[in-house]
Amino acid sequence: MSATDMSPVVFVVDDDPAIRAGLDSLLRSVGMRVHTFASGGEFLQHPFEDIPSCLILDVRLQGENGLDFQARLAELKISMPIVFVSGHGDIAMSVKAMKAGALDFLVKPYREQDLLDAVTGALQQDARRRETGKTSSQLRARFQTLTPREQEVMALAVTGLMNKQIAAEIGLSEITVKIHRGHAMKKMQAKTFADLVKMSQALEAR
């Protein structure tokens, strides 16, 4: 797959052909990849790539309210930042959309630059989310390579206990604890003990 194919993508769901064409032209004019759809159903049939992406979603779609579609995406575990646009927007709609996780809510007619800024921010947010998820997955995978005893020693070590204290706690010799601790450091790819503590905290936060 080429570098172009892996570039971020913006999805547009709006039942107005003129709006879709206008957004497609605007976004492509600044070098963004765009896919447009007339309905939520069409959007869901599109194959999703593992790349930063965002969704520009009209609040009032024929057949399905944009806010309801937002809830359906959450149920389907399709996670990407949503920028809502509406010609009939009101405070209640925007509050509901934002509470449900929307990144922005723009009322037509909006400034093109405001939309471009919202989309840029959405793509950056999704890129950060994906990178964090990738890092967390790698961390969990490394942790699973530890033996149960190494995991136990690591858990005690990051609380601040010395090798001698850990040895007394679990009934091992101090030298054996030191070996397990060293193996844990190596398998987790921790350059320093501080790194190991941060990794442990990240694992607990998941």
Side-chain angles (χ1 to χ4, degrees):
M1 188 173 284
S2 69
T4 300
D5 292 332
M6 294 303 293
S7 61
V9 62
V10 181
F11 298 107
V12 177
V13 176
D14 196 303
D15 53 24
D16 186 328
I19 296 294
R20 291 200 304 275
L23 288 172
D24 184 82
S25 177
L26 172 64
L27 295 165
R28 289 184 188 279
S29 73
V30 294
M32 293 183 180
R33 273 209 302 153
V34 189
H35 292 296
T36 65
F37 308 91
S39 69
E42 284 186 16
F43 169 72
L44 291 175
Q45 292 174 11
H46 183 81
F48 298 111
E49 303 163 88
D50 186 18
I51 53 176
S53 54
C54 74
L55 172 62
I56 298 176
L57 180 61
D58 189 9
V59 166
R60 296 182 185 272
L61 297 170
Q62 290 184 6
E64 183 170 30
N65 182 296
L67 296 175
D68 291 337
F69 184 62
Q70 178 188 26
R72 186 145 69 105
L73 290 177
E75 290 174 0
L76 294 172
K77 301 191 184 305
I78 297 176
S79 179
M80 67 179 68
I82 298 176
V83 176
F84 272 105
V85 294
S86 174
H88 314 276
D90 58 23
I91 293 176
M93 273 187 175
S94 61
V95 169
K96 184 176 180 181
M98 300 299 274
K99 281 186 175 180
L103 188 67
D104 217 330
F105 193 103
L106 303 176
V107 179
K108 304 170 186 174
Y110 46 77
R111 291 193 320 131
E112 290 185 347
Q113 190 58 52
D114 288 341
L115 179 74
L116 292 174
D117 289 345
V119 168
T120 299
L123 291 174
Q124 290 173 344
Q125 182 191 80
D126 199 46
R128 289 193 296 270
R129 178 186 67 82
R130 289 173 182 277
E131 186 59 36
T132 299
K134 182 179 177 182
T135 300
S136 296
S137 295
Q138 293 172 339
L139 199 58
R140 287 195 300 275
R142 292 202 294 267
F143 183 72
Q144 291 303 317
T145 67
L146 271 62
T147 65
R149 183 64 85 183
E150 288 164 356
Q151 291 181 3
E152 184 180 22
V153 169
M154 173 179 163
L156 291 169
V158 297
T159 65
L161 294 180
M162 304 296 289
N163 290 345
K164 184 177 181 179
Q165 294 170 309
I166 296 173
E169 177 78 18
I170 59 180
L172 295 176
S173 68
E174 188 174 346
I175 188 65
T176 301
V177 168
K178 185 176 181 180
I179 291 171
H180 285 315
R181 184 168 173 164
H183 287 168
M185 290 276 291
K186 185 175 181 179
K187 290 180 180 180
M188 292 299 294
Q189 298 177 23
K191 295 181 180 179
T192 66
F193 181 66
D195 286 341
L196 193 68
V197 172
K198 291 177 183 177
M199 290 175 182
S200 177
Q201 291 173 337
L203 286 166
E204 290 176 2
R206 296 301 299 171

